[in-house]
Amino acid sequence: MSEYAARNISHTDFILSGFSGSREWKQLLFIPFFLLFVMSVTANSMIIFIILSHRALHSPMYLLICVMAFVDLVIPIFVVPNMFLNLLFNWNHISLMGCLVQMFCIHFFGSVQTTILLWMALDRFYAICTPLHYNEHMRFSAFLKFVIIPMLRNAVFISAIVGLARSLSYCQSNEIKHCFCEHMALVTLACGPIYVNNVVGLCCAFFTLAADVLFIVVSYVRIFVSLFKSGRPSQKAFSTCITHIIVMFVGVIFALTSFLSYRIKNDMSFNSHMVISTMYLLVPACLNPIIYGIRTKEIRQQVIKAMKYLHQVLIFPRDVHLLGRV
């Protein structure tokens, strides 16, 4: 009778267990994550401001970099504050609705990251392989179809996994063994079968992350073939494409390792899983402003100008004020 009663209880309040260890260890762990968070927010905010405030940077590629910076700014904001409260004060409670909202935002914007990389790969493909028709392919009305269809796909799949997670009853435990509401970390607490959730989650990963990565690889292969056939391969084009591919695969490896660790038996420690899961959200958010922003000559020039002006304001505020009056 008691077991039957327990199975009719569905938890609506959960505990994010986060990193295991002593409180001193958790507080020490706060420092590197805080530095990554500050770096991410500062760098991405600067990239967004510079691109939006300079009309010369309103071409498709720079606007894609701006969208990427916005996504990289949003993801840590949904994840890191809860984790900080857990590390510093052991505040680790979250409601079921709050968990589902966080889950949707993390997975949706995470899928948008790879979709933006796909759009960037298409932009480079048209610019290098069909330069005479670049403006035709990248005009707003033509490019809109490459935006709407993948975004609808992402929204539908992520809504499906979140909706299925919402329909489950959680009677086994209310402790989520994670530092944020990851899909499988939550549904493994359900007292009923989660076969459908597992299959839909795998389909979501295949038709969003894997599909985008496949199209990106095909695009870059076509770019490399075109450069070799031209007989005058561009060092800058090679450097840009290879850097983009390296950053993409680092993020994908982190994401897949975290994703598959729930579905494949492994000896990975709990804290190692937490680090990898957090890194696939924070590392791209820190690296993307450098790889896609500051390494771009036009953006780098504007960043240097902004830094010089800020230096003048901080060191010689009176001179800057007088210069503004003149």
Side-chain angles (χ1 to χ4, degrees):
M1 179 68 71
S2 60
E3 181 181 351
Y4 176 81
R7 287 189 173 274
N8 280 274
I9 296 173
S10 183
H11 296 291
T12 57
D13 186 69
F14 293 88
I15 297 171
L16 293 167
S17 59
F19 291 92
S20 60
S22 64
R23 184 170 182 179
E24 291 76 14
W25 157 248
K26 291 183 179 181
Q27 290 175 344
L28 186 63
L29 199 60
F30 164 82
I31 298 172
F33 284 124
F34 178 74
L35 293 176
L36 286 174
F37 178 71
V38 171
M39 187 188 308
S40 169
V41 171
T42 304
N44 286 296
S45 298
M46 180 182 294
I47 294 295
I48 293 171
F49 173 76
I50 286 173
I51 292 176
L52 293 182
S53 60
H54 293 82
R55 293 187 61 85
L57 299 179
H58 287 185
S59 62
M61 188 61 180
Y62 297 121
L63 292 177
L64 286 174
I65 293 173
C66 183
V67 175
M68 172 70 82
F70 173 75
V71 172
D72 288 336
L73 182 65
V74 169
I75 290 178
I77 289 174
F78 279 111
V79 176
V80 174
N82 274 359
M83 188 173 69
F84 284 169
L85 292 174
N86 192 344
L87 291 173
L88 289 177
F89 309 110
N90 205 31
W91 295 352
N92 51 13
H93 286 268
I94 188 169
S95 66
L96 175 60
M97 187 55 63
C99 187
L100 294 172
V101 170
Q102 188 185 62
M103 182 194 302
F104 177 85
C105 293
I106 291 170
H107 289 296
F108 176 73
F109 285 108
S111 66
V112 171
Q113 275 184 324
T114 55
T115 302
I116 295 171
L117 293 176
L118 173 60
W119 296 338
M120 288 181 172
L122 286 173
D123 178 88
R124 292 300 85 201
F125 172 78
Y126 290 135
I128 295 172
C129 299
T130 59
L132 298 178
H133 301 283
Y134 176 79
N135 291 330
E136 178 185 346
H137 288 303
M138 295 303 294
R139 71 179 189 274
F140 183 75
S141 58
F143 192 69
L144 199 60
K145 62 185 176 184
F146 295 114
V147 175
I148 293 177
I149 295 174
M151 292 296 283
L152 284 176
R153 175 206 61 183
N154 295 346
V156 168
F157 274 109
I158 303 304
S159 297
I161 65 172
V162 173
L164 287 170
R166 173 68 181 88
S167 65
L168 295 173
S169 294
Y170 299 97
C171 57
Q172 290 193 22
S173 170
N174 70 333
E175 182 182 359
I176 301 174
K177 295 186 180 299
H178 216 301
C179 49
F180 58 87
C181 284
E182 202 271 342
H183 173 240
M184 288 303 297
L186 175 65
V187 301
T188 50
L189 301 179
C191 49
I194 59 171
Y195 174 77
V196 175
N197 302 76
N198 225 327
V199 170
V200 174
L202 288 170
C203 290
C204 177
F206 179 79
F207 287 107
T208 58
L209 177 64
D212 285 347
V213 169
L214 179 62
F215 283 119
I216 291 169
V217 170
V218 170
S219 297
Y220 280 123
V221 168
R222 293 284 302 275
I223 289 171
F224 290 144
V225 170
S226 176
L227 288 172
F228 279 118
K229 282 184 176 180
S230 68
R232 45 183 180 82
S234 168
Q235 184 67 31
K236 181 181 177 182
F238 271 118
S239 174
T240 301
C241 292
I242 290 172
T243 306
H244 289 190
I245 291 172
I246 291 172
V247 174
M248 178 189 70
F249 274 104
V250 168
V252 168
I253 288 170
F254 275 127
L256 287 179
T257 303
S258 175
F259 179 79
L260 294 175
S261 61
Y262 283 104
R263 295 171 168 86
I264 300 174
K265 273 195 157 186
N266 61 84
D267 298 325
M268 185 184 298
S269 69
F270 178 70
N271 280 345
S272 297
H273 186 198
M274 293 301 99
V275 170
I276 291 173
S277 298
T278 309
M279 286 299 101
Y280 93 77
L281 295 177
L282 284 180
V283 169
C286 293
L287 289 181
N288 287 340
I290 299 172
I291 301 302
Y292 298 104
I294 297 175
R295 283 188 78 250
T296 305
K297 180 181 177 182
E298 291 78 6
I299 295 178
R300 183 171 64 250
Q301 289 174 344
Q302 297 301 329
V303 169
I304 293 172
K305 285 182 182 178
M307 296 299 290
K308 286 181 177 177
Y309 179 77
L310 183 62
H311 178 265
Q312 287 291 111
V313 170
L314 294 176
I315 305 300
F316 305 109
R318 180 178 175 81
D319 292 348
V320 173
H321 176 68
L322 293 174
L323 183 62
R325 290 181 62 182
V326 173

